[in-house]
Amino acid sequence: MKYLKFRFFIPTIVFTLFWSVLNAQVTTLYGDYIHKVINSTENADYTKSLILLNEIYDGTLLSDNYLIGTIAARRGSTSAGNRLNVANINSSSAYSSTYANLISNDEADYLWKLKTCRYNGKKYLALEVPYLAAYHQNGFQFVGWAKSSGLSLEFVAYEKNGIAQNTSILKEITDFVPNRKISNHVSRFNVLGKVGIGTDDPQADLAVNGDILAKQIKVKTDISVPDYVFEPGYKMNTLEQIEEFVKTHKHLPEIPSAKEVAADGLDLAKMNLLLLKKVEELTLHLIEKEKMLYDVNRRLKKIENKN
Protein backbone atom coordinates (compact mmCIF):
# COMPACT_ATOMS: atom_id res chain seq x y z
CA MET A 1 0.00 0.00 0.00
CA LYS A 2 2.84 2.43 0.83
CA TYR A 3 4.52 1.53 -2.48
CA LEU A 4 1.39 2.46 -4.40
CA LYS A 5 1.13 5.79 -2.61
CA PHE A 6 4.77 6.57 -3.40
CA ARG A 7 4.27 5.77 -7.09
CA PHE A 8 1.32 8.13 -7.19
CA PHE A 9 3.20 10.88 -5.33
CA ILE A 10 6.19 11.06 -7.75
CA PRO A 11 4.16 11.91 -10.93
CA THR A 12 2.24 14.52 -8.92
CA ILE A 13 5.50 16.30 -7.99
CA VAL A 14 6.78 16.17 -11.59
CA PHE A 15 3.49 17.54 -12.93
CA THR A 16 3.43 20.33 -10.35
CA LEU A 17 7.03 21.39 -11.12
CA PHE A 18 6.37 21.29 -14.88
CA TRP A 19 3.24 23.42 -14.51
CA SER A 20 5.00 26.00 -12.32
CA VAL A 21 7.89 26.31 -14.82
CA LEU A 22 5.47 26.62 -17.73
CA ASN A 23 3.57 29.48 -16.05
CA ALA A 24 6.62 31.29 -14.60
CA GLN A 25 7.45 34.73 -16.00
CA VAL A 26 11.19 33.97 -15.87
CA THR A 27 12.78 30.54 -16.08
CA THR A 28 16.53 30.38 -15.44
CA LEU A 29 18.00 27.84 -17.82
CA TYR A 30 21.67 28.38 -16.94
CA GLY A 31 23.19 31.37 -15.12
CA ASP A 32 22.02 34.47 -17.01
CA TYR A 33 20.58 32.33 -19.80
CA ILE A 34 16.82 32.61 -19.33
CA HIS A 35 13.40 32.17 -20.82
CA LYS A 36 11.09 35.07 -20.04
CA VAL A 37 7.44 35.68 -20.84
CA ILE A 38 7.35 39.45 -21.28
CA ASN A 39 4.46 41.06 -19.42
CA SER A 40 2.52 43.03 -22.06
CA THR A 41 -0.72 43.78 -20.24
CA GLU A 42 -0.60 47.36 -21.61
CA ASN A 43 -0.82 46.03 -25.15
CA ALA A 44 -4.00 46.48 -27.20
CA ASP A 45 -5.08 47.39 -30.73
CA TYR A 46 -3.61 50.64 -32.11
CA THR A 47 -0.76 50.57 -29.57
CA LYS A 48 2.83 51.63 -30.22
CA SER A 49 5.30 50.25 -27.74
CA LEU A 50 8.88 49.55 -26.68
CA ILE A 51 10.55 46.65 -24.93
CA LEU A 52 13.32 47.85 -22.60
CA LEU A 53 16.44 45.73 -23.19
CA ASN A 54 19.17 46.90 -20.82
CA GLU A 55 20.45 50.04 -19.11
CA ILE A 56 23.05 52.07 -21.02
CA TYR A 57 25.62 54.74 -20.15
CA ASP A 58 24.18 58.07 -19.02
CA GLY A 59 27.10 59.91 -17.43
CA THR A 60 27.92 57.28 -14.81
CA LEU A 61 30.14 54.31 -15.61
CA LEU A 62 28.18 51.06 -15.86
CA SER A 63 28.88 47.50 -14.85
CA ASP A 64 28.40 44.76 -17.45
CA ASN A 65 24.98 44.91 -19.17
CA TYR A 66 23.95 42.73 -22.08
CA LEU A 67 21.06 41.10 -23.91
CA ILE A 68 21.84 38.38 -26.45
CA GLY A 69 18.97 36.31 -27.73
CA THR A 70 15.63 36.13 -29.50
CA ILE A 71 12.31 37.83 -28.90
CA ALA A 72 9.36 36.13 -30.61
CA ALA A 73 5.88 37.61 -30.88
CA ARG A 74 2.70 36.27 -32.46
CA ARG A 75 -0.58 37.83 -33.47
CA GLY A 76 -3.51 36.82 -35.62
CA SER A 77 -5.64 33.68 -35.66
CA THR A 78 -6.49 30.77 -37.88
CA SER A 79 -8.83 32.90 -39.97
CA ALA A 80 -6.65 36.03 -39.99
CA GLY A 81 -3.39 34.19 -40.53
CA ASN A 82 -0.95 33.48 -37.74
CA ARG A 83 1.87 35.99 -38.02
CA LEU A 84 5.13 35.47 -36.20
CA ASN A 85 7.61 38.30 -35.63
CA VAL A 86 11.15 37.43 -34.56
CA ALA A 87 13.94 39.78 -33.44
CA ASN A 88 17.49 38.57 -32.81
CA ILE A 89 19.34 41.05 -30.59
CA ASN A 90 23.02 41.30 -29.69
CA SER A 91 23.64 44.20 -27.31
CA SER A 92 26.20 45.03 -24.66
CA SER A 93 26.74 48.12 -22.49
CA ALA A 94 29.59 48.55 -20.05
CA TYR A 95 31.48 51.54 -18.65
CA SER A 96 30.68 54.30 -21.18
CA SER A 97 30.04 52.35 -24.39
CA THR A 98 27.08 50.59 -26.00
CA TYR A 99 27.21 48.19 -28.94
CA ALA A 100 24.23 46.50 -30.55
CA ASN A 101 22.82 45.03 -33.71
CA LEU A 102 19.45 43.63 -34.68
CA ILE A 103 18.26 41.01 -37.17
CA SER A 104 14.50 40.90 -37.65
CA ASN A 105 12.11 38.54 -39.35
CA ASP A 106 8.71 40.07 -39.85
CA GLU A 107 5.87 40.66 -42.26
CA ALA A 108 5.70 43.27 -45.03
CA ASP A 109 7.27 46.60 -44.06
CA TYR A 110 6.74 46.31 -40.31
CA LEU A 111 10.24 46.35 -38.83
CA TRP A 112 11.68 45.96 -35.38
CA LYS A 113 13.94 48.94 -34.62
CA LEU A 114 16.53 49.71 -31.96
CA LYS A 115 15.84 52.82 -29.89
CA THR A 116 17.14 54.57 -26.81
CA CYS A 117 14.84 56.09 -24.22
CA ARG A 118 14.69 57.36 -20.67
CA TYR A 119 12.42 55.39 -18.35
CA ASN A 120 11.94 56.39 -14.71
CA GLY A 121 15.07 58.54 -14.98
CA LYS A 122 17.34 55.78 -16.34
CA LYS A 123 18.57 55.53 -19.91
CA TYR A 124 17.87 52.31 -21.79
CA LEU A 125 18.48 50.55 -25.05
CA ALA A 126 15.05 49.51 -26.27
CA LEU A 127 13.35 47.58 -29.03
CA GLU A 128 10.46 49.18 -30.90
CA VAL A 129 7.74 46.63 -31.62
CA PRO A 130 6.57 46.51 -35.27
CA TYR A 131 3.34 48.47 -35.42
CA LEU A 132 0.07 47.25 -36.87
CA ALA A 133 -3.43 48.22 -35.81
CA ALA A 134 -3.87 44.63 -34.61
CA TYR A 135 -1.69 43.98 -31.59
CA HIS A 136 0.36 40.90 -30.65
CA GLN A 137 -2.43 39.34 -28.60
CA ASN A 138 -0.32 36.21 -27.97
CA GLY A 139 2.38 38.27 -26.28
CA PHE A 140 6.18 38.23 -26.39
CA GLN A 141 8.73 35.66 -25.26
CA PHE A 142 12.50 35.89 -24.91
CA VAL A 143 15.17 33.20 -24.83
CA GLY A 144 18.84 34.10 -24.36
CA TRP A 145 21.41 35.80 -22.14
CA ALA A 146 20.17 38.84 -20.21
CA LYS A 147 21.76 41.05 -17.57
CA SER A 148 20.92 44.66 -16.72
CA SER A 149 21.69 47.00 -13.85
CA GLY A 150 18.20 48.43 -14.49
CA LEU A 151 15.09 46.83 -15.90
CA SER A 152 15.30 44.18 -18.59
CA LEU A 153 12.71 42.90 -21.07
CA GLU A 154 9.97 45.20 -19.81
CA PHE A 155 7.11 46.18 -22.13
CA VAL A 156 5.98 49.81 -22.11
CA ALA A 157 3.43 51.53 -24.38
CA TYR A 158 4.13 55.05 -25.62
CA GLU A 159 1.04 55.66 -27.78
CA LYS A 160 -2.50 54.27 -27.88
CA ASN A 161 -5.17 55.33 -30.37
CA GLY A 162 -2.97 58.31 -31.26
CA ILE A 163 -2.69 59.47 -27.64
CA ALA A 164 0.71 59.52 -25.92
CA GLN A 165 1.08 57.08 -23.03
CA ASN A 166 3.32 56.95 -19.94
CA THR A 167 4.65 60.45 -20.63
CA SER A 168 5.58 61.03 -16.99
CA ILE A 169 8.00 58.09 -16.91
CA LEU A 170 8.93 57.50 -20.58
CA LYS A 171 10.84 60.24 -22.39
CA GLU A 172 13.47 60.97 -25.07
CA ILE A 173 12.70 58.11 -27.49
CA THR A 174 15.33 58.29 -30.25
CA ASP A 175 16.79 56.00 -32.92
CA PHE A 176 19.85 53.92 -32.09
CA VAL A 177 22.14 53.28 -35.07
CA PRO A 178 23.40 49.67 -34.94
CA ASN A 179 27.19 49.63 -34.52
CA ARG A 180 28.02 45.92 -34.30
CA LYS A 181 29.06 44.01 -37.42
CA ILE A 182 27.66 40.75 -38.76
CA SER A 183 29.91 38.49 -40.84
CA ASN A 184 28.88 35.48 -42.90
CA HIS A 185 31.81 33.22 -43.81
CA VAL A 186 30.25 30.99 -46.44
CA SER A 187 31.14 29.56 -49.83
CA ARG A 188 27.91 30.92 -51.31
CA PHE A 189 25.28 33.31 -49.99
CA ASN A 190 21.96 32.89 -51.80
CA VAL A 191 19.02 35.25 -51.49
CA LEU A 192 15.84 34.02 -53.16
CA GLY A 193 14.02 37.33 -53.32
CA LYS A 194 14.62 41.08 -53.45
CA VAL A 195 17.40 42.74 -51.47
CA GLY A 196 17.19 46.32 -50.20
CA ILE A 197 20.15 48.28 -48.84
CA GLY A 198 19.07 51.52 -47.19
CA THR A 199 15.47 50.79 -48.14
CA ASP A 200 12.85 48.42 -46.73
CA ASP A 201 10.86 48.41 -49.99
CA PRO A 202 13.18 47.25 -52.81
CA GLN A 203 11.62 47.63 -56.25
CA ALA A 204 14.28 45.48 -57.98
CA ASP A 205 16.27 42.32 -57.24
CA LEU A 206 18.88 44.62 -55.66
CA ALA A 207 17.90 48.14 -54.59
CA VAL A 208 20.52 50.43 -53.04
CA ASN A 209 19.52 53.76 -51.54
CA GLY A 210 23.04 55.17 -51.31
CA ASP A 211 26.52 54.94 -52.79
CA ILE A 212 28.13 51.84 -54.32
CA LEU A 213 31.93 51.45 -54.16
CA ALA A 214 33.51 48.59 -56.10
CA LYS A 215 36.88 47.71 -57.62
CA GLN A 216 35.22 46.12 -60.63
CA ILE A 217 31.70 45.90 -62.01
CA LYS A 218 30.88 43.55 -64.88
CA VAL A 219 27.47 43.74 -66.54
CA LYS A 220 26.25 40.82 -68.60
CA THR A 221 23.69 41.86 -71.19
CA ASP A 222 21.94 40.50 -74.25
CA ILE A 223 22.09 43.93 -75.94
CA SER A 224 24.18 43.80 -79.12
CA VAL A 225 27.50 45.61 -78.97
CA PRO A 226 27.17 48.28 -81.71
CA ASP A 227 30.11 47.14 -83.86
CA TYR A 228 27.54 46.96 -86.68
CA VAL A 229 28.19 50.70 -87.05
CA PHE A 230 31.36 49.80 -88.95
CA GLU A 231 29.59 47.53 -91.44
CA PRO A 232 29.62 48.86 -95.04
CA GLY A 233 25.83 49.08 -95.32
CA TYR A 234 25.26 50.99 -92.06
CA LYS A 235 23.49 54.33 -92.50
CA MET A 236 23.87 56.99 -89.85
CA ASN A 237 22.47 60.48 -89.46
CA THR A 238 24.40 63.29 -91.07
CA LEU A 239 25.77 66.06 -88.85
CA GLU A 240 23.10 68.35 -90.26
CA GLN A 241 20.36 65.91 -89.23
CA ILE A 242 21.85 65.59 -85.75
CA GLU A 243 21.97 69.36 -85.44
CA GLU A 244 18.28 69.68 -86.31
CA PHE A 245 17.36 66.91 -83.82
CA VAL A 246 19.36 68.53 -81.00
CA LYS A 247 17.77 71.93 -81.66
CA THR A 248 14.30 70.41 -81.39
CA HIS A 249 14.70 67.81 -78.62
CA LYS A 250 17.68 69.11 -76.59
CA HIS A 251 19.38 65.70 -76.48
CA LEU A 252 21.10 63.30 -78.88
CA PRO A 253 19.10 60.81 -80.96
CA GLU A 254 18.46 57.50 -79.11
CA ILE A 255 19.81 58.96 -75.83
CA PRO A 256 17.07 59.36 -73.19
CA SER A 257 16.19 62.88 -72.14
CA ALA A 258 16.77 64.30 -68.65
CA LYS A 259 13.03 64.01 -68.02
CA GLU A 260 13.00 60.32 -68.98
CA VAL A 261 16.01 59.56 -66.75
CA ALA A 262 14.39 61.37 -63.81
CA ALA A 263 11.21 59.32 -64.26
CA ASP A 264 12.62 55.88 -65.15
CA GLY A 265 16.21 55.92 -63.90
CA LEU A 266 19.31 55.11 -65.92
CA ASP A 267 20.02 51.67 -67.38
CA LEU A 268 23.82 51.59 -67.15
CA ALA A 269 24.37 48.68 -69.54
CA LYS A 270 22.08 50.13 -72.21
CA MET A 271 23.45 53.65 -71.73
CA ASN A 272 27.09 52.54 -72.01
CA LEU A 273 26.36 50.73 -75.26
CA LEU A 274 24.45 53.73 -76.62
CA LEU A 275 27.37 56.01 -75.74
CA LEU A 276 29.74 53.56 -77.41
CA LYS A 277 27.56 53.69 -80.50
CA LYS A 278 27.69 57.51 -80.50
CA VAL A 279 31.49 57.44 -80.12
CA GLU A 280 31.76 55.01 -83.04
CA GLU A 281 29.48 57.19 -85.20
CA LEU A 282 31.47 60.27 -84.19
CA THR A 283 34.67 58.45 -85.14
CA LEU A 284 33.23 57.70 -88.61
CA HIS A 285 32.25 61.37 -88.99
CA LEU A 286 35.78 62.43 -88.04
CA ILE A 287 37.31 59.98 -90.49
CA GLU A 288 35.05 61.36 -93.21
CA LYS A 289 35.92 64.96 -92.30
CA GLU A 290 39.61 64.05 -92.21
CA LYS A 291 39.37 62.70 -95.76
CA MET A 292 37.53 65.84 -96.89
CA LEU A 293 40.16 68.04 -95.23
CA TYR A 294 42.97 66.03 -96.85
CA ASP A 295 41.31 66.43 -100.28
CA VAL A 296 40.87 70.20 -99.75
CA ASN A 297 44.54 70.58 -98.74
CA ARG A 298 45.64 68.54 -101.77
CA ARG A 299 43.66 70.80 -104.11
CA LEU A 300 45.00 73.95 -102.45
CA LYS A 301 48.57 72.75 -102.98
CA LYS A 302 47.87 72.12 -106.66
CA ILE A 303 46.52 75.64 -107.01
CA GLU A 304 49.55 77.09 -105.20
CA ASN A 305 51.92 75.14 -107.45
CA LYS A 306 50.21 76.45 -110.58
CA ASN A 307 50.56 80.03 -109.34
Side-chain angles (χ1 to χ4, degrees), residues 119-163:
Y119 184 78
N120 273 333
K122 286 190 173 185
K123 196 169 183 180
Y124 286 92
L125 182 69
L127 185 66
E128 185 174 49
V129 177
Y131 174 75
L132 273 179
Y135 74 111
H136 292 89
Q137 80 272 24
N138 294 297
F140 308 84
Q141 299 202 31
F142 171 80
V143 175
W145 300 91
K147 183 180 180 182
S148 177
S149 51
L151 296 174
S152 181
L153 297 166
E154 294 292 323
F155 180 95
V156 55
Y158 67 85
E159 184 181 297
K160 191 174 293 185
N161 289 312
I163 301 172

Side-chain angles (χ1 to χ4, degrees), residues 244-263:
E244 286 301 317
F245 185 93
V246 170
K247 283 181 179 178
T248 304
H249 301 284
K250 310 302 181 189
H251 63 88
L252 288 172
E254 300 179 275
I255 301 296
S257 66
K259 186 177 181 180
E260 290 171 325
V261 171

Side-chain angles (χ1 to χ4, degrees), residues 1 4 11 13 23 28 35 39 90 95 127 142 179 186-187 193-194 219-220 229 240 260 265 291 293:
M1 192 70 178
L4 291 175
I13 293 175
N23 286 278
T28 299
H35 165 243
N39 183 353
N90 186 352
Y95 294 108
L127 185 66
F142 171 80
N179 55 1
V186 295
S187 62
K194 295 181 178 180
V219 179
K220 290 186 177 181
V229 168
E240 289 79 10
E260 290 171 325
K291 288 179 179 179
L293 184 60

Side-chain angles (χ1 to χ4, degrees), residues 257-307:
S257 66
K259 186 177 181 180
E260 290 171 325
V261 171
D264 304 324
L266 190 65
D267 186 324
L268 291 179
K270 186 176 180 180
M271 177 59 77
N272 277 335
L273 291 174
L274 281 173
L275 292 175
L276 175 61
K277 182 179 179 181
K278 295 307 167 188
V279 169
E280 290 175 342
E281 289 179 343
L282 180 60
T283 300
L284 289 176
H285 280 300
L286 286 173
I287 291 172
E288 182 183 353
K289 295 305 177 186
E290 177 69 17
K291 288 179 179 179
M292 291 175 61
L293 184 60
Y294 176 80
D295 188 56
V296 169
N297 285 334
R298 186 173 57 82
R299 290 180 182 183
L300 283 174
K301 284 183 179 180
K302 282 184 179 181
I303 294 172
E304 287 175 356
N305 290 334
K306 283 181 180 181
N307 293 333

Side-chain angles (χ1 to χ4, degrees), residues 24-42:
Q25 289 295 305
V26 181
T27 303
T28 299
L29 303 176
Y30 178 80
D32 295 329
Y33 192 81
I34 64 169
H35 165 243
K36 180 173 182 177
V37 179
I38 299 170
N39 183 353
S40 56
T41 53
E42 284 189 274

